[in-house]
Amino acid sequence: MKEILRTCVCCRKKQDHRLMFRIVRKPEGNVVFDKSYKENGRGAYLCKNIECINKAKKSRVLDRQLECNIPVEIYDQLLLEIK
């Protein structure tokens, strides 16, 4: 299978998209954590580590990338996926 590289919106590191989390703003406007990597909408990728998630939450980089407010529940869900 071909490796698809994506860039983390927080640390700017490039790696295979399957090694990252994908957060999507759906056309309806709601934000979801995309486990399937196939959801429709504008997506952003984050590394699967606590540092990037916490830094993204503090700096609100996902809010800017997806042009909407990211609910705290999304960050909580990502942190639970790591553990």
Side-chain angles (χ1 to χ4, degrees):
M1 187 180 341
K2 185 179 176 188
E3 188 177 84
I4 301 170
L5 295 178
R6 294 289 182 252
T7 303
C8 174
V9 295
C10 198
C11 69
R12 311 302 296 168
K13 181 179 174 185
K14 287 185 184 246
Q15 57 184 343
D16 186 281
H17 77 290
R18 298 282 179 186
L19 302 174
M20 304 176 91
F21 291 128
R22 182 170 187 251
I23 297 83
V24 177
R25 185 191 72 214
K26 309 270 286 164
E28 305 83 46
N30 56 328
V31 178
V32 295
F33 165 46
D34 180 14
K35 288 185 180 183
S36 69
Y37 301 94
K38 295 179 181 179
E39 288 283 345
N40 234 358
R42 181 178 180 90
Y45 288 84
L46 265 180
C47 292
K48 288 185 178 179
N49 66 51
I50 294 170
E51 294 80 22
C52 273
I53 294 169
N54 288 333
K55 187 176 175 185
K57 184 178 181 179
K58 186 176 180 181
S59 68
R60 301 177 61 94
V61 68
L62 279 175
D63 293 43
R64 289 190 301 278
Q65 288 289 318
L66 298 178
E67 300 171 349
C68 66
N69 289 326
I70 307 298
V72 176
E73 294 79 29
I74 295 290
Y75 296 106
D76 295 341
Q77 193 176 6
L78 295 177
L79 290 171
L80 285 174
E81 285 290 319
I82 292 175
K83 297 173 183 177

